[in-house]
Amino acid sequence: MPDRVVTLSQFVLQQEREHPEASGEFTSVLLDIALAAKMINKAVVRAGLVDIVGATGSTNVQGEKVQKLDVYAHETIMRVLASTGQLAVVASEEDEDIVAVPKGAPIGKYVVNFDPLDGSSNIDANVNIGTIFSILPRLTRTGQGTLEDVLQAGRRQLCAGYVLYGSSTMLVYTTGDGVHGFTFEPSIGEFLLSHPSIKTPERGHIYSVNEGNYARWLDGVKRYVDWLKMSDKETNRPYSARYVGSLVADFHRNLLYGGIYMYPGDLKNPQGKLRLLYEAAPLAFVAEQAGGCASDGARRIMELAPSAVHQRTPLFIGSPLDVRECEQFIQDKHPAIHADRRTNSPIPTRM
Ligand code: FDP
């Protein structure tokens, strides 16, 4: 906990002073995202009142159209970002295609890929949801940004982070100089530094995965999860299962407490469910900057070259020892598999 009150804007300015070599311009994009997050937060905390004032997607008692929250989040971010002159092009979970800067608005140097409201199936149950964002430099030089600008590997990110809307709302980000977390103080409308230089534990004791998909998983993932449930003092097993079903919430908890979040590919969906550009890559940047790892089972997420805006990827992310062990199981290289094969009692898979 810091010993004095520091707002997000003060912190960002201070970082710019300490690193004059960084252009710093994209930090204003970050502050714009924070502004949009405050507006989305206001709508999120009122989401439970929707049934009282009128159902989502229909008309409320004032005769106003009530927007779906994820559409509202998308439009809010677009409205805030489009007018600043920093943006070249945008990709959002809510839009099939890339989104150009509106006609007449100034065009800038940066690309923003975002998921406006992640975990949206949890909205009606009042469970945590989030916004994930990734800021990249454009590749093309002039005019509207293009698909080429959007489809860049995660290692090219200048900044990435997320906002977690919940019992308290937090913004967590990295610009490649550690991971810093800010908690929203609604009475003054500011994000205040609450978690400077977040470091994730080397090993956790939590695993987060939708185990309902077990029967469709490949053997490596099955064996790894079965292994996590066996007792072993040295590796702190058995692990605890925790799965909210909102990526941001599951990732954030594991970032602080340690552990592994997994959304593997399976027999039905070989690439899993999560999107590379605006889910896996930004969280991979955060995870690595906190001392963690992010992998698709074989490769570093930050190295994957996207070929489509809504491309999916398997994701294994969290504490470094956990992610490395998981990779070893997936690649059939973990010593436990071979030790058990020698004794003719391989780690059983349940189906
Ligand atoms: P949602 O569909 O509710 O938007 O990527 C979207 C996501 O949620 C993640 O936030 C979440 O971790 C995952 O999907 C949950 O998927 P399952 O329901 O298949 O577990």
Side-chain angles (χ1 to χ4, degrees):
M1 185 58 81
D3 50 10
R4 64 188 183 93
V5 176
V6 181
T7 67
L8 175 63
S9 345
Q10 287 172 331
F11 187 81
V12 163
L13 288 174
Q14 183 190 322
Q15 296 277 94
E16 275 178 25
R17 276 197 298 272
E18 285 171 13
H19 299 277
E21 72 284 359
S23 100
E25 279 177 41
F26 69 85
T27 53
S28 74
V29 182
L30 171 64
L31 295 178
D32 292 334
I33 291 172
L35 170 64
K38 290 179 197 174
M39 295 160 76
I40 297 166
N41 181 61
K42 195 166 170 222
V44 168
V45 295
R46 287 184 56 82
L49 294 168
V50 159
D51 285 343
I52 301 165
V53 295
T56 306
S58 68
T59 306
N60 69 16
V61 285
Q62 284 91 31
E64 298 158 343
K65 184 104 174 134
V66 181
Q67 260 183 327
K68 277 182 162 262
L69 212 47
D70 37 14
V71 176
Y72 172 80
H74 167 84
E75 287 181 0
T76 301
I77 296 174
M78 283 309 298
R79 251 187 301 137
V80 171
L81 289 183
S83 55
T84 60
Q86 303 286 0
L87 269 200
V89 66
V90 159
S92 161
E93 209 258 307
E94 285 297 315
D95 222 301
E96 202 50 45
D97 297 317
I98 56 170
V99 189
V101 175
K103 261 208 167 104
I107 298 173
K109 298 198 278 194
Y110 300 103
V111 177
V112 178
N113 296 330
F114 65 95
D115 184 351
L117 216 54
D118 185 74
S120 44
S121 58
N122 277 323
I123 295 174
D124 292 342
N126 205 7
V127 173
N128 298 60
I129 45 184
T131 296
I132 309 175
F133 60 89
S134 160
I135 306 174
L136 295 139
R138 69 180 299 174
L139 291 173
T140 54
R141 287 182 184 276
T142 52
Q144 288 281 2
T146 65
L147 190 59
E148 186 194 348
D149 294 313
V150 164
L151 300 181
Q152 298 188 55
R155 69 181 141 71
R156 299 221 0 114
Q157 293 172 104
L158 297 169
C159 175
Y162 56 85
V163 184
L164 175 66
Y165 309 99
S167 46
S168 61
T169 289
M170 280 195 73
L171 187 150
V172 176
Y173 83 94
T174 183
T175 55
D177 185 28
V179 177
H180 310 289
F182 297 78
T183 302
F184 185 57
E185 166 51 279
S187 66
I188 54 169
E190 292 279 5
F191 282 102
L192 302 179
L193 181 63
S194 52
H195 296 66
S197 301
I198 297 173
K199 287 280 166 235
T200 203
E202 266 217 297
R203 177 186 288 289
H205 65 103
I206 292 173
Y207 74 99
S208 310
V209 66
N210 184 344
E211 224 168 329
N213 295 332
Y214 185 94
R216 293 203 300 258
W217 291 345
L218 303 179
D219 279 353
V221 179
K222 285 183 179 176
R223 287 206 180 98
Y224 175 59
V225 171
D226 294 344
W227 180 79
L228 290 177
K229 296 176 189 174
M230 295 172 178
S231 289
D232 175 54
K233 270 206 177 120
E234 199 190 322
T235 50
N236 215 2
R237 288 179 289 140
Y239 278 26
S240 292
R242 295 281 185 276
Y243 190 69
V244 174
S246 275
L247 174 59
V248 174
D250 282 310
F251 174 81
H252 181 71
R253 181 203 49 242
N254 292 3
L255 182 75
L256 298 183
Y257 297 171
I260 182 165
Y261 173 95
M262 298 173 260
Y263 211 112
D266 60 34
L267 295 175
K268 190 170 157 214
N269 302 303
Q271 292 307 309
K273 177 179 184 190
L274 303 178
R275 314 294 181 146
L276 174 58
L277 278 182
Y278 45 79
E279 292 184 312
L283 296 186
F285 192 14
V286 174
E288 288 193 1
Q289 283 295 314
C293 285
S295 160
D296 71 349
R299 295 165 299 176
R300 188 176 162 231
I301 291 288
M302 295 278 273
E303 295 295 339
L304 301 182
S307 54
V309 175
H310 301 288
Q311 183 172 327
R312 298 175 197 269
T313 178
L315 178 65
F316 305 90
I317 191 166
S319 294
L321 291 179
D322 292 309
V323 175
R324 292 293 166 243
E325 263 159 9
C326 176
E327 281 181 326
Q328 287 180 324
F329 272 93
I330 289 171
Q331 295 167 25
D332 206 25
K333 288 179 184 156
H334 195 277
I337 304 172
H338 299 287
D340 284 342
R341 280 199 186 124
R342 276 198 299 277
T343 56
N344 259 343
S345 56
I347 296 169
T349 54
R350 281 183 272 125
M351 256 294 287

